[in-house]
């Protein structure tokens, strides 16, 4: 059994090193350059157990309430925009939160309508409704200039948010940003008989 444990650790070690390199040259490097301050070394991976914190809700008339967590701090603030069917408790969202804590910057992570702790029915959600979610977070929760970090589908949404709110968005960071996948899928649909709507 002891030999098996050593083999598992030996097999895992290269992946741990690769994961740290990806974080060091990805999110940390981009945010560090934008914030003009060298970050302190972050932990190699997030702890398996995290202390639970309460979830807040953004109430919106005629729209589902959005679950979010906000870290107060200095400006510019950072907003994490998750990918498709991802929630605010994903690995990237939590890693960026730890990074913002180390620098003392404000940070917001949230769940889209119909996802995680937010209200709404996923089957009724569209990209247009999630765009409204992002704009609600920027308008109602964010204070001062913001850096948007969009992951996958969040990359598409952060671009639309930056166009809609140029006075509040000062920088964009894409993580595997799927900025053209929706257009590509839309263009591949048959012209007749399609009920797919890119926006609502």
């Amino acid at each position: 059994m002891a030999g098996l444990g050593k083999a598992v650790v030996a097999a895992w070690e290269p992946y741990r090193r690769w994961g740290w390199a990806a974080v060091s040259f990805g999110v940390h490097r981009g945010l560090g350059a934008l914030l003009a301050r060298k970050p302190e070394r972050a932990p190699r991976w997030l702890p398996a157990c995290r202390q639970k914190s309460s979830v807040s809700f953004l109430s919106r008339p005629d729209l589902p309430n959005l679950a979010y967590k906000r870290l107060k701090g200095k400006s510019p603030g950072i907003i994490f925009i998750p990918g498709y069917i991802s929630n605010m408790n994903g690995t990237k969202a939590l890693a960026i939160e730890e990074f913002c804590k180390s620098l003392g910057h404000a940070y917001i992570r949230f769940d889209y309508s119909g996802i995680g702790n937010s209200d709404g029915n996923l089957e009724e959600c569209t990209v247009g409704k999630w765009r409204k979610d992002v704009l609600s977070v920027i308008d109602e929760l964010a204070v001062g200039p913001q850096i948007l970090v969009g992951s996958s589908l969040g990359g598409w949404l952060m671009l639309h948010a930056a166009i809609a709110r140029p006075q509040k968005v000062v920088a964009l960071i894409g993580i595997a940003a799927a900025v053209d996948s929706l257009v590509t899928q839309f263009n591949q649909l048959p012209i007749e008989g399609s009920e797919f709507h890119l926006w609502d």
Side-chain angles (χ1 to χ4, degrees), residues 13-44:
E13 187 62 31
Y15 295 103
R16 279 182 31 196
R17 282 198 303 267
W18 179 86
W20 171 245
V23 170
S24 297
F25 294 105
V27 174
H28 281 49
R29 185 173 181 184
L31 283 176
L34 286 170
L35 302 175
R37 180 176 170 189
K38 188 173 181 181
E40 299 172 10
R41 183 174 174 89
R44 291 178 73 95

Side-chain angles (χ1 to χ4, degrees), residues 27-99:
V27 174
H28 281 49
R29 185 173 181 184
L31 283 176
L34 286 170
L35 302 175
R37 180 176 170 189
K38 188 173 181 181
E40 299 172 10
R41 183 174 174 89
R44 291 178 73 95
W45 59 83
L46 292 173
C49 298
R50 294 179 52 87
Q51 186 176 12
K52 291 184 178 180
S53 59
S54 61
V55 175
S56 300
F57 289 89
L58 173 62
S59 297
R60 305 179 297 166
D62 303 322
L63 291 172
N65 294 333
L66 295 181
Y68 71 92
K69 292 190 179 182
R70 177 168 44 190
L71 178 67
K72 292 184 178 179
K74 61 187 175 182
S75 188
I78 290 94
I79 300 174
F80 180 72
I81 306 173
Y84 180 65
I85 317 252
S86 293
N87 64 36
M88 64 176 160
N89 295 316
T91 304
K92 290 184 282 291
L94 297 177
I96 295 170
E97 180 176 78
E98 293 300 319
F99 181 73

